[in-house]
Structures are given as C-alpha cells and as structure tokens.
Amino acid sequence: MLATGLAAPTGSLAADPSSPAPTRDDILVRFRPNTSPTARKAVARDRNLSLVRESRSGRTAILRGKGISPATVRRELASDPRISAVGQNYRREIAADPTSEQYFKSEWGLNNTGQTISGIEPQTGVPDVDID
C-alpha cells in the first residue's frame, strides 16, 4: 500500500508546521535507498519539476510539475527505477474521535498516559511518549 510506504519517512515532511499547504499539483516521491543526492536532483531536473520540500535524509520529496498534469508526472515517475513510491501529496484528517473506540486505552502508542504494559509486569509506559 502506497500510504504505508510514505507515511513515516525519516525526517518526516509533516513535522514542520511552516511548510506550505499541499496543492493538487504536489507529488510525493520516495526514492530508493541507494539513490544518490545527484540522481535524486536529476529526476526533478530531467522532468522540469520543481522541488517544494524534501526530508532531512533526502529520500522523500515533494515535487511540482510545470505545465504538465500531475497524473502524467506520477505515471512517469512510477516507472523510474530510482523511485520506490510515488503519489499525490495531500493532508489526511481524522474523521472521527478515536478515543471512544472500545480498545483505545490499550493503544498506548497513540496516547501514552503511563499505563501498565500488558505482559511486562511491572513495566509502565512513560507519559506522553506516543504518536502526536
């Protein structure tokens, strides 16, 4: 699944609140581990794409096409051997409050309040060490 492969890149792109809001033209690209910085830049240059942002590692980037449809650019990038995943860049929002789910309290990685970790007694979690 594409979303899984792009959801948590090293040096996450989502971590910076000052980043520009995504547009319909933004393309999210994940480069293969062995792709050099020079080769990553060549991908954008050869297709006349501009770099909007990239992760600290450089392996994940947001690119934008100039005068070509994003769908066409995504198809072209998907066939490039230097790229492991490509998709439309967009924000995801929570549709419903998950805290009312039956087993939410067991999901300590989502909301760690220091609760006891089942099966590792007397181990407890560290409050607020969770996914925000």
Side-chain angles (χ1 to χ4, degrees):
M1 183 171 167
L2 181 62
T4 303
L6 298 174
T10 305
S12 175
L13 295 169
D16 182 5
S18 66
S19 65
T23 71
R24 296 186 75 124
D25 296 336
D26 289 351
I27 300 157
L28 187 60
V29 176
R30 179 74 170 165
F31 293 97
R32 295 195 185 281
N34 60 346
T35 306
S36 70
T38 303
R40 293 191 297 255
K41 287 179 183 173
V43 167
R45 183 188 64 239
D46 295 347
R47 291 178 175 83
N48 197 28
L49 304 174
S50 60
L51 176 66
V52 177
R53 291 203 64 211
E54 68 181 354
S55 63
R56 280 180 249 149
S57 71
R59 283 203 46 221
T60 304
I62 298 173
L63 303 174
R64 189 174 293 152
K66 299 174 185 173
I68 187 167
S69 81
T72 301
V73 174
R74 287 193 303 270
R75 279 193 302 275
E76 289 178 8
L77 291 173
S79 65
D80 191 309
R82 298 169 288 190
I83 296 173
S84 62
V86 62
Q88 181 180 357
N89 185 42
Y90 56 92
R91 291 186 197 264
R92 290 193 171 177
E93 306 270 338
I94 294 176
D97 182 9
T99 59
S100 62
E101 294 287 330
Q102 180 179 0
Y103 296 106
F104 182 80
K105 292 179 181 175
S106 299
E107 296 290 342
W108 59 268
L110 299 176
N111 185 30
N112 192 347
T113 60
Q115 62 267 53
T116 301
I117 300 172
S118 183
I120 309 175
E121 301 300 331
Q123 184 72 34
T124 59
V126 178
D128 206 31
V129 176
D130 51 32
I131 299 171
D132 286 336

mmCIF file of all heavy atoms in Angstrom, residues 94-102 104:
data_model
loop_
_atom_site.group_PDB
_atom_site.id
_atom_site.type_symbol
_atom_site.label_atom_id
_atom_site.label_comp_id
_atom_site.label_asym_id
_atom_site.label_seq_id
_atom_site.Cartn_x
_atom_site.Cartn_y
_atom_site.Cartn_z
ATOM 1 N N ILE A 94 -8.409 13.351 10.685
ATOM 2 C CA ILE A 94 -9.188 12.362 11.413
ATOM 3 C C ILE A 94 -10.670 12.659 11.197
ATOM 4 O O ILE A 94 -11.117 13.793 11.386
ATOM 5 C CB ILE A 94 -8.846 12.389 12.912
ATOM 6 C CG1 ILE A 94 -7.399 11.948 13.118
ATOM 7 C CG2 ILE A 94 -9.802 11.524 13.699
ATOM 8 C CD1 ILE A 94 -6.941 12.028 14.554
ATOM 9 N N ALA A 95 -11.421 11.657 10.788
ATOM 10 C CA ALA A 95 -12.850 11.839 10.510
ATOM 11 C C ALA A 95 -13.706 11.712 11.764
ATOM 12 O O ALA A 95 -14.799 12.255 11.837
ATOM 13 C CB ALA A 95 -13.306 10.824 9.466
ATOM 14 N N ALA A 96 -13.212 10.971 12.755
ATOM 15 C CA ALA A 96 -13.977 10.766 13.985
ATOM 16 C C ALA A 96 -13.005 10.674 15.157
ATOM 17 O O ALA A 96 -11.841 10.331 14.993
ATOM 18 C CB ALA A 96 -14.806 9.495 13.885
ATOM 19 N N ASP A 97 -13.498 10.957 16.338
ATOM 20 C CA ASP A 97 -12.675 10.887 17.542
ATOM 21 C C ASP A 97 -12.434 9.425 17.913
ATOM 22 O O ASP A 97 -13.374 8.711 18.256
ATOM 23 C CB ASP A 97 -13.387 11.616 18.676
ATOM 24 C CG ASP A 97 -12.577 11.630 19.958
ATOM 25 O OD1 ASP A 97 -11.398 11.222 19.937
ATOM 26 O OD2 ASP A 97 -13.129 12.065 20.981
ATOM 27 N N PRO A 98 -11.180 8.955 17.861
ATOM 28 C CA PRO A 98 -10.905 7.541 18.131
ATOM 29 C C PRO A 98 -10.942 7.172 19.614
ATOM 30 O O PRO A 98 -10.949 5.993 19.951
ATOM 31 C CB PRO A 98 -9.501 7.348 17.571
ATOM 32 C CG PRO A 98 -8.862 8.687 17.719
ATOM 33 C CD PRO A 98 -9.966 9.669 17.486
ATOM 34 N N THR A 99 -10.980 8.153 20.510
ATOM 35 C CA THR A 99 -10.909 7.847 21.940
ATOM 36 C C THR A 99 -12.139 7.108 22.458
ATOM 37 O O THR A 99 -12.095 6.519 23.536
ATOM 38 C CB THR A 99 -10.691 9.121 22.777
ATOM 39 O OG1 THR A 99 -11.765 10.028 22.547
ATOM 40 C CG2 THR A 99 -9.378 9.779 22.411
ATOM 41 N N SER A 100 -13.219 7.093 21.713
ATOM 42 C CA SER A 100 -14.409 6.367 22.147
ATOM 43 C C SER A 100 -14.392 4.900 21.685
ATOM 44 O O SER A 100 -15.281 4.131 22.041
ATOM 45 C CB SER A 100 -15.670 7.054 21.628
ATOM 46 O OG SER A 100 -15.679 7.045 20.215
ATOM 47 N N GLU A 101 -13.383 4.514 20.928
ATOM 48 C CA GLU A 101 -13.272 3.121 20.484
ATOM 49 C C GLU A 101 -13.068 2.207 21.686
ATOM 50 O O GLU A 101 -12.397 2.568 22.657
ATOM 51 C CB GLU A 101 -12.105 2.958 19.504
ATOM 52 C CG GLU A 101 -12.285 3.682 18.204
ATOM 53 C CD GLU A 101 -13.320 3.015 17.318
ATOM 54 O OE1 GLU A 101 -13.488 1.787 17.393
ATOM 55 O OE2 GLU A 101 -13.968 3.738 16.545
ATOM 56 N N GLN A 102 -13.578 0.989 21.605
ATOM 57 C CA GLN A 102 -13.569 0.051 22.727
ATOM 58 C C GLN A 102 -12.159 -0.218 23.265
ATOM 59 O O GLN A 102 -11.951 -0.267 24.461
ATOM 60 C CB GLN A 102 -14.213 -1.260 22.291
ATOM 61 C CG GLN A 102 -14.252 -2.305 23.376
ATOM 62 C CD GLN A 102 -14.922 -3.596 22.909
ATOM 63 O OE1 GLN A 102 -15.350 -3.705 21.778
ATOM 64 N NE2 GLN A 102 -15.006 -4.556 23.793
ATOM 65 N N PHE A 104 -9.302 1.604 22.677
ATOM 66 C CA PHE A 104 -8.393 2.738 22.546
ATOM 67 C C PHE A 104 -7.410 2.812 23.710
ATOM 68 O O PHE A 104 -6.236 3.104 23.521
ATOM 69 C CB PHE A 104 -9.155 4.056 22.420
ATOM 70 C CG PHE A 104 -8.233 5.232 22.223
ATOM 71 C CD1 PHE A 104 -7.696 5.498 20.983
ATOM 72 C CD2 PHE A 104 -7.901 6.065 23.281
ATOM 73 C CE1 PHE A 104 -6.833 6.567 20.787
ATOM 74 C CE2 PHE A 104 -7.044 7.134 23.109
ATOM 75 C CZ PHE A 104 -6.506 7.388 21.860
#
